[in-house]
Amino acid sequence: MAENLSTGSGGSLSKDGEKGDVAYDIHQMRSPSIGDIIEMVDTTHGQFHRSFTPHQIISLGSNIGSGLFIGTGAALAAAGPGNMVIVYLLVCSCVWAVLQTLSEMTIAFPTSGNYIDYADRWVDPALAFGAGLAEWLVTIFVVITCAIFVMPNTVFAWFEYGTSLIKIGLFILIILLSLAIVCGAGPEGYVHDGSAWADLPAFKNGFSGFGRAALLACWAVGDQIFIGIMGGEAQNPRFSMGHATKLVPYRVIFVYMACVIFITVLIHSDNDQLLGGSGVTASPFVLAIQSVKIPYVSSILNAGIMCGILAISAESIYLSSRILRTMAVQRLIPIWIAQVDRRGRPVRSLVITCLSAVVLTYINMSAGGVVALNWFVSITSASFFINWMIVAFTSWRFHKTLAAQNDPLFSGLYAWKSFMWPLAPVRLMSICVLLLICCFYVDAKPPGSTITTANNFFQYTIGILLIFSMTAAYKLIFRTPFRDPKTADLLTGRRKLTPEDIEQLDAYYRLPTWRRFLTYVNVW
């Protein structure tokens, strides 16, 4: 290892590699299991700050967004209650698989680029380019949140944490209120006896409806990969990601499935006010409250929904700017975009992302909300599940690289490994293949229609075609190498537990079981 490094000035070293001369800060630390290792951090273009706390990483606002508020209405209208419950349960289970697969790589290599960086170092730079492009496509419909990123990273973290608390209260209100309405609450309330399932087809539009609902569920659930990106800037990635991997799947599955089941009981799938119907678009939660004439609550829900969408907008800017910066560091796009200022902000990638978001927002406003939303859902759904596939494949290559180099990563102190690997990546890849089939099936046979048009074809496949074609073009033009597991990089960005990390983990595992459980449910 040492012969590949030459000493530079100022206590740093320089490394000559495929991507040119890159300056690194090298920290020599003692490993409890493998002796001396070196942690290398690229400081050529500035450095991110590790400022995110465990509560900010696992905040509910990072994991549940506008797809649950609005997308559920379109899913119910297209697929009926039976299809809707099945696909949301199926896609929600991907949250566990994504975090299990991603966390073991993130804990060992907590880089801000996360799976984009991993795809580059263990698979192929072209795949990293495709993954980065896919994730960056989700910047659409963001305007006023750009101002948050003029301030330090901690402002964004606390903003997300604050909005997450609002959304926790909102979801508790929704679930309790839905239960009350089912039981007959409201001036014009009545007991809901399941007629929404019995009177209309539970599996509306067959597999076409199933496919459409699956894509909407993917849009609603798919941003869980955001947790991995934040984990790259966590104060203690081992503690934060370990907590998130256990807690977030249960939160998401409980909240989504409770809300979805209540929606299918309260609202008939032929309600013309559902998004996708012929009337005014509305959240199904608001429709349920209005139908029984409960005053004021719908306005409270609308305000909460606005806070939730604002948080998702901020997350999109954060995520996309980090992805763009990582692609620049990897020389997948021009290197000048990679610059990070003294406060840990990737200024140039933030400016590009914010400008793109503003332009696309006005395109949405001029094109008509429902039309633009349909295209947006199709593109982002494809982006999400293609990146899930990349994460699953990268995990396999990661383990192959560890085996080829006899790296004892998982034998170290407090080492973290995916549960029953390769269960999570295999499950994730299998569901993503099903989602890919859904895309092409809905493209050929849209719900409620027997005619395939060019508009339908591109609406449901443009995300897939764009990502695959750009990845293939990058591979052919730059002739990028497929990484050899025997020589793939297991050094750069690798983070050994610091004494402070070990002290925190020791203190946590000394707690009795009930006290450890409380660390998952407290809000401060």
Side-chain angles (χ1 to χ4, degrees):
M1 182 185 300
E3 61 269 20
N4 295 327
L5 299 172
S6 58
T7 304
S9 60
S12 64
L13 302 180
S14 63
K15 175 190 173 193
D16 293 326
E18 292 181 334
K19 299 174 183 176
D21 296 334
V22 181
Y24 293 94
D25 284 342
I26 308 296
H27 304 286
Q28 187 80 13
M29 295 185 294
R30 177 68 58 182
S31 168
S33 58
I34 62 175
D36 293 333
I37 66 170
I38 294 177
E39 179 185 0
M40 298 202 303
V41 181
D42 180 3
T43 59
T44 306
H45 306 285
Q47 187 175 351
F48 289 118
H49 296 173
R50 293 197 176 279
S51 53
F52 295 152
T53 67
H55 291 311
Q56 292 164 348
I57 297 291
I58 65 177
S59 62
L60 190 61
S62 303
N63 314 303
I64 299 177
S66 55
L68 180 57
F69 298 133
I70 301 171
T72 44
L76 182 60
N83 276 330
M84 185 178 173
V85 169
I86 292 172
V87 298
Y88 270 85
L89 182 60
L90 190 68
V91 174
C92 281
S93 70
C94 286
V95 176
W96 173 84
V98 169
L99 292 180
Q100 283 285 329
T101 304
L102 193 59
S103 288
E104 65 177 8
M105 296 183 283
T106 303
I107 288 169
F109 298 86
T111 60
S112 184
N114 203 254
Y115 66 99
I116 310 297
D117 176 40
Y118 309 151
D120 181 15
R121 70 168 74 195
W122 298 318
V123 187
D124 191 309
L127 189 67
F129 176 81
L133 175 66
E135 194 59 56
W136 197 75
L137 289 175
V138 302
T139 62
I140 304 174
F141 309 143
V142 184
V143 182
I144 63 174
T145 53
C146 299
I148 295 171
F149 296 94
V150 176
M151 294 171 276
N153 285 347
T154 51
V155 175
F156 162 73
W158 284 114
F159 171 78
E160 286 295 302
Y161 187 68
T163 54
S164 77
L165 294 181
I166 294 173
K167 285 163 65 174
I168 288 172
L170 179 65
F171 287 125
I172 292 174
L173 174 63
I174 285 173
I175 291 171
L176 294 178
L177 194 58
S178 297
L179 178 61
I181 294 174
V182 167
C183 296
E188 297 185 14
Y190 58 94
V191 176
H192 291 71
D193 56 2
S195 61
W197 283 71
D199 296 347
L200 296 168
F203 298 93
K204 190 175 177 181
N205 293 317
F207 189 75
S208 179
F210 177 94
R212 174 62 175 160
L215 296 177
L216 286 161
C218 186
W219 172 55
V221 178
D223 69 340
Q224 308 311 316
I225 228 164
F226 172 80
I227 297 172
I229 305 294
M230 285 191 73
E233 297 181 47
Q235 294 172 355
N236 183 346
R238 168 62 181 84
F239 186 80
S240 298
M241 290 300 296
H243 259 51
T245 302
K246 290 182 180 179
L247 178 60
V248 169
Y250 294 108
R251 278 184 169 183
V252 171
I253 291 173
F254 171 75
V255 171
Y256 270 95
M257 295 314 301
C259 291
V260 164
I261 290 171
F262 277 126
I263 287 170
T264 62
V265 173
L266 293 171
I267 303 292
H268 285 65
S269 60
D270 62 350
N271 188 313
D272 61 5
Q273 287 186 292
L274 290 172
L275 187 59
S278 59
V280 178
T281 63
S283 165
F285 303 112
V286 175
L287 291 179
I289 293 167
Q290 291 176 341
S291 68
V292 296
K293 306 300 184 201
I294 297 178
Y296 310 119
V297 177
S298 60
S299 297
I300 296 173
L301 288 186
N302 279 325
I305 289 171
M306 290 175 64
C307 288
I309 293 175
L310 194 63
I312 292 297
S313 300
E315 291 169 12
S316 299
I317 290 287
Y318 170 86
L319 178 61
S320 300
S321 64
R322 265 57 179 180
I323 294 299
L324 205 62
R325 193 261 177 181
T326 297
M327 294 173 69
V329 169
Q330 295 172 335
R331 306 295 178 111
L332 302 174
I333 58 177
I335 190 65
W336 59 266
I337 298 174
Q339 188 63 42
V340 175
D341 68 9
R342 289 178 296 178
R343 292 188 176 183
R345 300 169 302 188
V347 178
R348 294 170 183 173
S349 63
L350 277 171
V351 170
I352 293 172
T353 301
C354 289
L355 288 177
S356 301
V358 170
V359 170
L360 291 168
T361 299
Y362 282 103
I363 290 175
N364 167 55
M365 292 172 64
S366 62
V370 174
V371 174
L373 180 63
N374 286 336
W375 282 80
F376 174 58
V377 168
S378 300
I379 292 172
T380 52
S381 296
S383 300
F384 287 145
F385 72 72
I386 287 174
N387 275 335
W388 289 352
M389 296 174 77
I390 291 172
V391 168
F393 184 67
T394 302
S395 175
W396 173 69
R397 293 286 297 178
F398 171 58
H399 278 258
K400 191 170 183 180
T401 300
L402 291 174
Q405 299 184 24
N406 295 316
D407 192 304
L409 173 67
F410 297 125
S411 62
L413 180 65
Y414 291 122
W416 198 96
K417 186 176 181 179
S418 176
F419 176 73
M420 294 181 64
W421 191 92
L423 175 62
V426 168
R427 178 178 179 80
L428 187 61
M429 183 66 77
S430 301
I431 295 177
C432 288
V433 170
L434 175 61
L435 291 170
L436 187 63
I437 294 171
C438 288
C439 250
F440 285 100
Y441 190 90
V442 174
D443 154 38
K445 189 178 180 182
S449 175
T450 57
I451 301 174
T452 301
T453 64
N455 182 72
N456 286 336
F457 174 81
F458 285 109
Q459 177 180 325
Y460 290 106
T461 61
I462 188 171
I464 298 172
L465 296 175
L466 182 61
I467 295 165
F468 277 97
S469 62
M470 293 295 286
T471 302
Y474 192 94
K475 177 74 175 175
L476 293 173
I477 293 171
F478 295 100
R479 300 183 181 276
T480 56
F482 196 71
R483 303 299 189 193
D484 183 352
K486 295 180 180 179
T487 58
D489 184 8
L490 285 174
L491 178 62
T492 308
R494 186 163 175 166
R495 184 178 187 273
K496 182 184 169 296
L497 293 176
T498 66
E500 292 78 14
D501 293 342
I502 295 173
E503 183 180 352
Q504 182 181 15
L505 290 165
D506 284 342
Y508 172 74
Y509 284 106
R510 281 196 299 265
L511 295 173
T513 303
W514 68 273
R515 288 285 303 278
R516 274 186 273 166
F517 173 77
L518 291 179
T519 66
Y520 288 94
V521 298
N522 62 351
V523 297
W524 196 257

